[in-house]
Amino acid sequence: MLSTLQISLIVSLFCGQLLQKAPEPRTSPPDPAIEQEEQDYTPVVIQQDSLIETIESPVAEPMGLAVYEGQLWISDMATRKIHEFRLVDRKLVRSIDAPGLMPTGLTVHKGMLIIADRQMDKLHRRRISDDSITGAETLPYYEKWAWGMVSDGKSLWIVDAQDRKIHQIDPDDGTTIRSFAAPGTHPTAIAWDGAFLWVAEHATNTIYRMDPETGWVVSSLPSPGPYPSAMVFFDGTLWIADYQSRRFYRVKLPEKLRVIEDDERRVRATYQVVYRAGGTGKVRKLTSFLAVPRELAGQRIITPVRFDPQPTRMVRDRWGQEIAVFELGDLAPGETRTVRWIGDFSLFRVRYQIDPAHLEPLRTDRELSQYLADDKKYNLKHQALTDWMKDLSRAPAHPYRTARLIYEKLVDSIVYERTGGWNNAAAVLARKSGSCSEYTFALVALLRRAGIPARYVGAISERGDAASFDDVFHRWAEMWMPGYGWIPVDANAGTGPDPAVRGQHFGGRSNRHVVTTIGGGASEYLDWTYNHNTRYELEGQATLDEQPIGRYRPLKAKPTSRNILLVEKTADPGPAQAPVCPAVVPQLKPVPDHTRTNSLLWGALFGGLFLLVLGIYIAIRMQNRSR
């Protein structure tokens, strides 16, 4: 018979084996190699050769990048160290302790390594030499949560992650020279290319090019990884450290790129108008004009538009807009007529890559000159437009800068309000409010007044859900930029303080619209409307009700749910024909369930204790019986 001590020893050894087999919870900084097995990402690419290389991050949490004499310097929040990374053999060659516990931004200014810490109100300076890193100088920092940091050779630029601002800092005494809003809601890294600031934003995984003089977002690109945390320009390429994938991406910025189209949505769209006669008498010669969608940048037609019923004829107006004409005849009281088109579309988010420093000269030929002409909704000679343009006339003549100043001022001057019908530009500027069409009339008029060709487009829009209907619709302006063609400019959608939103709608369009109408002014068929127009005669006390409505239904997505299309830079005003360059979507691998691991650990522990107590109890009972 086994003694109580022997039974307890056996049970204890069994419990020890269980505990050895149960994985330990991780408490040390994560190892990049292990994490890559947990979750892997394939980077998003813009052009076939834009992603030069991808390397595994040599540190666990890269938060800052800098370059000094051909080597990368990296701040690692996990180990609280600053590392020198030798690019020749991809090795860490030396490290120093970070001054604080949360090292973030890192840059080199006049031979000094500048280190920021999210929780400290000072910047730290270290002098770099071949064999040592010396000094312990500090520089006061008067703002909040320093994250990204870069030097332009004269000033420091710091991303304030708490207040979502970009601060220009005097590198000698830490004075904040000026500040402007950072793009998006979660700005992280910042880099300098010699002319523009590039700011990474994690919420949308977007990298924005910003004008340091104005704070405008000029263009944007998708980040190759899911969480850009540090950036630096070196040797003509942009190095991007990604916190989540723990990789470094070396990117060549796209050249001769006119527009990026990505974030594809495939929809079946319908536009329908229902007419119903009322009152007494008849509605005579009812004619309906439906604008027909066409292919253009960001809008591809999957199946040709179908009509119900078949139109009486097809025509084009003075602006080249194709229109289906339905001659519906006479309607007696209570009678209805319905016309509609239906089509399948592939819609993309559009982002024009305008480079203000390299615009071609603005020339207007006979075709473009019609987009400078006056019309009753523009009233170009009105004193209100003259007064409004006074301040802008002092700015240097430059198509992009002039158009952007007009756009920014209009966004700040007008609030959205659907009232008073569709007034002309002068009335809208005086009233300081307007609908989307009135925003558009004002913007087109001001651009034309400044000598920039402008027109408008109209669309049916998705209203929040993939399957939705639209009975409000939307209109915005387009302007002609030399070398790029017609650029969308939507002052109504660009309202608000976020420079990312403003930049998105100056040279960009979402994938929530099917464009039906393009015009420069009054049309012989559509007049000043878009989507459709109606003409008829009333006899006696007859009335006519009409209800236009657009409908969206999502179509099955292609196997690759996100593409990036490229259109080479061109001055051709026609629809852009773009080769498709598929971008890759993160391919997720199963992530180990640490909660389950911990449950197994505690289960083994309590199970072992239970068996120990049970063994002692049984041994005692057996000994008592033997007596």
Side-chain angles (χ1 to χ4, degrees):
M1 185 67 64
L2 295 175
S3 67
T4 302
L5 180 61
Q6 289 173 321
I7 294 174
S8 300
L9 181 60
I10 292 171
V11 173
S12 299
L13 289 172
F14 175 74
C15 293
Q17 291 297 318
L18 286 177
L19 289 174
Q20 283 183 356
K21 292 180 180 179
E24 293 184 2
R26 188 175 64 196
T27 57
S28 59
D31 179 75
I34 295 175
E35 287 300 305
Q36 291 304 319
E37 294 177 0
E38 294 181 356
Q39 190 173 40
D40 198 12
Y41 287 87
T42 308
V44 173
V45 295
I46 304 168
Q47 286 178 319
Q48 295 287 6
D49 59 348
S50 64
L51 184 61
I52 298 175
E53 63 177 318
T54 301
I55 63 174
E56 301 297 330
S57 173
V59 303
E61 293 183 326
M63 304 299 287
L65 286 179
V67 173
Y68 181 71
E69 293 188 349
Q71 309 297 356
L72 279 181
W73 289 79
I74 310 165
S75 64
D76 179 17
M77 193 166 64
T79 60
R80 299 170 296 283
K81 290 183 179 294
I82 311 299
H83 304 279
E84 182 182 6
F85 183 60
R86 193 163 57 202
L87 293 174
V88 175
D89 54 7
R90 302 291 196 262
K91 289 184 179 179
L92 297 176
V93 292
R94 55 177 167 169
S95 304
I96 61 171
D97 290 330
L101 299 178
M102 292 189 71
T104 48
L106 195 65
T107 192
V108 173
H109 180 78
K110 296 183 178 179
M112 300 284 284
L113 189 65
I114 314 294
I115 306 167
D117 188 288
R118 174 169 158 161
Q119 293 186 332
M120 301 182 75
D121 58 0
K122 57 177 66 71
L123 307 175
H124 295 261
R125 295 188 282 198
R126 301 289 186 269
R127 187 166 298 281
I128 309 171
S129 63
D130 292 338
D131 55 358
S132 64
I133 302 172
T134 59
E137 302 176 23
T138 61
L139 184 70
Y141 173 65
Y142 300 101
E143 308 301 334
K144 300 174 183 176
W145 285 19
W147 191 317
M149 179 170 57
V150 72
S151 168
D152 65 4
K154 298 179 180 179
S155 301
L156 301 178
W157 296 87
I158 296 181
V159 174
D160 179 343
Q162 179 170 327
D163 285 347
R164 299 194 292 274
K165 290 184 177 180
I166 307 294
H167 303 295
Q168 183 183 9
I169 304 296
D170 188 319
D172 296 324
D173 60 11
T175 299
T176 302
I177 300 171
R178 63 194 181 94
S179 304
F180 50 80
T185 59
H186 193 169
T188 54
I190 189 168
W192 171 254
D193 69 357
F196 292 96
L197 294 169
W198 294 75
V199 180
E201 201 269 336
H202 168 48
T204 58
N205 299 329
T206 301
I207 299 173
Y208 296 94
R209 180 171 57 155
M210 301 190 73
D211 184 336
E213 296 299 322
T214 60
W216 296 339
V217 167
V218 177
S219 61
S220 63
L221 299 169
S223 173
Y227 193 157
S229 56
M231 299 190 301
V232 68
F233 274 96
F234 174 54
D235 198 22
T237 58
L238 180 62
W239 286 79
I240 305 169
D242 193 85
Y243 182 86
Q244 185 167 332
S245 67
R246 293 195 179 92
R247 289 176 178 169
F248 285 6
Y249 303 104
R250 185 180 171 210
V251 176
K252 178 183 177 183
L253 295 180
E255 298 177 353
K256 297 182 179 179
L257 186 60
R258 177 173 172 260
V259 60
I260 292 177
E261 299 172 316
D262 65 349
D263 198 11
E264 182 189 12
R265 294 181 61 249
R266 295 161 66 88
V267 301
R268 174 161 294 165
T270 305
Y271 186 76
Q272 173 181 290
V273 186
V274 178
Y275 299 98
R276 183 174 61 187
T280 58
K282 285 188 175 183
V283 176
R284 299 283 191 185
K285 300 179 181 179
L286 176 61
T287 305
S288 184
F289 304 89
L290 266 58
V292 181
R294 70 180 81 172
E295 285 209 351
L296 64 155
Q299 180 167 297
R300 305 288 183 269
I301 297 177
I302 301 173
T303 59
V305 172
R306 289 97 63 197
F307 299 95
D308 181 24
Q310 288 300 307
T312 307
R313 64 185 185 277
M314 303 295 293
V315 297
R316 289 187 182 274
D317 69 6
R318 58 184 291 222
W319 308 107
Q321 173 65 50
E322 187 178 21
I323 298 164
V325 182
F326 300 84
E327 295 177 351
L328 302 176
D330 300 342
L331 273 70
E335 281 192 286
T336 63
R337 296 284 191 275
T338 300
V339 295
R340 69 170 181 165
W341 59 253
I342 182 171
D344 296 341
F345 300 87
S346 182
L347 306 176
F348 298 84
R349 176 176 55 179
V350 173
R351 288 182 279 184
Y352 279 84
Q353 302 298 299
I354 304 173
D355 186 349
H358 296 92
L359 280 183
E360 299 173 8
L362 180 59
R363 299 185 180 93
T364 54
D365 55 20
R366 180 179 298 179
E367 181 181 353
L368 287 176
S369 63
Q370 64 181 328
Y371 297 102
L372 292 170
D374 200 358
D375 212 329
K376 70 175 184 178
K377 293 296 184 183
Y378 306 140
N379 204 358
L380 300 184
K381 297 179 181 179
H382 196 282
Q383 187 62 37
L385 273 72
T386 303
D387 294 341
W388 203 91
M389 295 286 290
K390 278 182 180 178
D391 294 338
L392 303 181
S393 63
R394 302 189 185 98
H398 186 281
Y400 179 90
R401 183 172 179 80
T402 300
R404 190 64 186 259
L405 285 169
I406 290 172
Y407 168 82
E408 294 287 339
K409 184 176 179 180
L410 190 65
V411 167
D412 291 333
S413 302
I414 297 180
V415 296
Y416 180 79
E417 185 179 18
R418 294 180 66 198
T419 183
W422 288 345
N423 274 315
N424 64 29
V428 174
L429 294 175
R431 194 178 66 208
K432 297 184 178 180
S433 67
S435 64
C436 65
S437 287
E438 291 174 315
Y439 267 91
T440 302
F441 296 154
L443 184 52
V444 169
L446 293 167
L447 289 170
R448 290 189 180 188
R449 181 68 185 262
I452 299 172
R455 66 185 187 184
Y456 60 76
V457 299
I460 60 173
S461 303
E462 176 205 298
R463 297 294 175 179
D465 296 297
S468 61
F469 66 88
D470 180 20
D471 59 351
V472 179
F473 315 117
H474 191 49
R475 174 160 29 192
W476 61 90
E478 288 188 337
M479 64 178 181
W480 177 266
M481 281 287 108
Y484 295 89
W486 290 105
I487 307 297
V489 189
D490 191 344
N492 176 199
T495 55
D498 188 346
V501 174
R502 293 194 176 202
Q504 174 186 346
H505 296 287
F506 189 91
R509 186 179 75 242
S510 77
N511 59 3
R512 295 174 47 249
H513 310 287
V514 171
V515 174
T516 67
T517 312
I518 299 178
S523 162
E524 59 268 41
Y525 301 105
L526 297 177
D527 196 24
W528 284 92
T529 66
Y530 59 101
N531 295 339
H532 90 281
N533 190 30
T534 306
R535 291 176 184 167
Y536 55 91
E537 297 175 3
L538 296 178
E539 181 183 88
Q541 300 299 313
T543 60
L544 180 67
D545 296 326
E546 62 180 279
Q547 178 58 62
I549 189 168
R551 292 185 173 89
Y552 274 82
R553 290 286 174 181
L555 295 176
K556 184 178 180 181
K558 294 193 298 185
T560 301
S561 60
R562 184 182 180 198
N563 289 328
I564 292 183
L565 278 70
L566 305 178
V567 180
E568 294 303 313
K569 185 175 177 182
T570 175
D572 180 10
Q577 301 298 323
V580 177
C581 172
V584 283
V585 180
Q587 302 296 319
L588 302 184
K589 293 183 178 180
V591 179
D593 189 346
H594 295 297
T595 303
R596 184 173 180 270
T597 299
N598 292 338
S599 299
L600 288 172
L601 176 64
W602 287 106
L605 178 62
F606 284 112
L609 291 174
F610 172 78
L611 291 175
L612 176 62
V613 173
L614 180 62
I616 294 172
Y617 173 78
I618 293 173
I620 294 173
R621 290 290 302 271
M622 292 177 66
Q623 286 183 354
N624 289 338
R625 286 184 180 181
S626 64
R627 292 175 184 174

